[in-house]
């Protein structure tokens, strides 16, 4: 997949989400109370949800790639940190991870002389990125192992180093193999971002909770929230499916 095609895909996805937010705003403003008067609050929450998903997804892909490569190393001292990270993240609830990063991580860092202030957004991004990164790591590890061993041997016989073989031969093929599960993780991340409401980050779920508590009408509010989530995941899935098809064509 060339740079031009990738830029076109990114531009199309950005335009589609802009149109989607315009349509959501237009439709919600026409709805009766309690939705119509508070339509902008739902749209603001949906934008934050998408922003959380994109930023956390990109960081999580990097984290997962690094951890996945570490897991395939022949050296236990390289594998051990990645295995510990994956074990901790996959064995604890995401809600607990978000609360830990927001409430406990800054004091722990200050105790070792690192003064960091994390707001609600970056606390959620860190927790979501590490969480999806752990799941991505196992996916990418499986993709690396699925690449025929002869590819590695051929690259090494041509004089490529281990790092060059991984970055130029093995990893590009592995990423094409694992696109479908990575896409599933991204869609799950969009829905999991609703847990950021636990630290008072105004995303879509918290926007719905506020409207519901003010109006005492949970049914229309929750129906609206679910519909907006469905619209976001539908557009995201459409473009990730297009990316998957392009990568399959490019790999032939």
């Amino acid at each position: 997949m060339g740079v031009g095609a990738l830029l076109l895909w990114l531009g199309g996805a950005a335009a589609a989400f802009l149109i989607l937010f315009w349509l959501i705003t237009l439709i919600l403003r026409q709805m009766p109370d309690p939705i119509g008067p508070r339509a902008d609050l739902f749209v603001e929450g949906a934008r934050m949800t998408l922003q959380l998903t994109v930023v956390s997804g990109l960081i999580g892909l990097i984290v997962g790639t690094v951890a996945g490569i570490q897991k395939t190393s022949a050296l236990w001292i390289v594998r051990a940190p990645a295995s510990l990270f994956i074990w901790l993240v996959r064995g604890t609830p995401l809600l607990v991870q978000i609360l830990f990063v927001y409430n406990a991580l800054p004091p722990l860092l200050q105790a070792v002389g690192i003064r960091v202030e994390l707001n609600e957004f970056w606390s959620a991004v860190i927790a979501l990125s590490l969480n999806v990164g752990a799941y991505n790591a196992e996916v990418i590890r499986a993709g690396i192992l699925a690449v025929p061993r002869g590819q590695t041997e051929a690259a090494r016989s041509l004089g490529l180093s281990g790092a060059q073989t991984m970055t130029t031969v093995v990893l590009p093929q592995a990423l094409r193999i694992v696109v479908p599960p990575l896409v599933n993780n991204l869609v799950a991340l969009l829905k999991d971002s609703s847990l950021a409401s636990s630290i008072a980050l105004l995303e879509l779920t918290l926007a719905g909770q506020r409207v519901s508590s003010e109006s005492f009408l949970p049914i229309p509010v929750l129906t609206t929230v679910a519909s907006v989530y469905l619209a976001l995941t539908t557009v995201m899935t459409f473009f990730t499916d297009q990316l998957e098809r392009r990568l399959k064509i490019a790999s032939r």
Side-chain angles (χ1 to χ4, degrees):
M1 187 175 182
V3 176
L6 180 60
L7 291 176
L8 182 63
W9 178 83
L10 290 172
F17 277 110
L18 287 174
I19 295 172
L20 177 63
F21 283 121
W22 177 76
L23 288 173
I24 291 174
T25 304
L26 184 66
I27 293 171
L28 294 185
R29 284 178 178 175
Q30 305 302 317
M31 297 180 67
D33 191 68
I35 307 302
R38 301 172 179 86
D40 292 341
L41 183 63
F42 287 101
V43 175
E44 181 183 353
R47 286 199 182 101
M48 179 57 68
T49 293
L50 183 61
Q51 187 177 350
L52 269 177
T53 303
V54 172
V55 176
S56 302
L58 289 174
I59 298 175
L61 180 60
I62 296 171
V63 171
T65 302
V66 173
I69 293 173
Q70 285 183 270
K71 284 275 288 183
T72 62
S73 174
L75 301 175
W76 73 267
I77 197 170
V78 177
R79 293 195 309 271
S83 299
L84 178 62
F85 161 69
I86 295 169
W87 173 68
L88 286 173
V89 172
R90 295 178 67 186
T92 55
L94 177 56
L95 177 59
V96 174
Q97 295 166 17
I98 293 174
L99 294 173
F100 181 88
V101 172
Y102 183 65
N103 294 306
L105 185 58
L108 289 176
L109 292 177
Q110 289 178 10
V112 296
I114 303 175
R115 301 187 62 84
V116 176
E117 294 184 4
L118 295 174
N119 58 20
E120 292 84 359
F121 176 78
W122 286 110
S123 296
V125 165
I126 291 172
L128 291 170
S129 300
L130 294 177
N131 185 271
V132 75
Y135 288 93
N136 286 346
E138 287 296 279
V139 170
I140 292 172
R141 179 185 67 85
I144 291 173
L145 295 178
V147 176
R149 188 173 180 83
Q151 298 282 333
T152 302
E153 295 173 349
R156 296 305 298 271
S157 67
L158 292 174
L160 297 181
S161 65
Q164 290 174 327
T165 300
M166 178 61 68
T167 56
T168 62
V169 178
V170 177
L171 201 55
Q173 296 182 71
L175 288 176
R176 288 194 183 102
I177 295 171
V178 301
V179 164
L182 289 179
V183 167
N184 289 337
N185 287 348
L186 184 63
V187 174
L189 176 65
L190 189 147
K191 294 179 288 185
D192 289 342
S193 66
S194 62
L195 294 176
S197 61
S198 61
I199 56 175
L201 180 64
L202 185 58
E203 43 71 62
L204 183 55
T205 298
L206 183 59
Q209 290 175 352
R210 290 185 178 180
V211 175
S212 181
S213 62
E214 290 173 1
S215 63
F216 300 100
L217 296 171
I219 294 177
V221 173
L222 292 176
T223 302
T224 301
V225 170
S227 299
V228 175
Y229 270 116
L230 184 60
L232 290 173
T233 55
T234 299
V235 174
M236 179 174 290
T237 302
F238 173 79
F239 279 95
T240 52
D241 286 347
Q242 294 297 317
L243 177 62
E244 181 182 345
R245 291 193 190 97
R246 286 183 176 274
L247 287 175
K248 284 183 178 179
I249 293 172
S251 64
R252 290 177 182 173

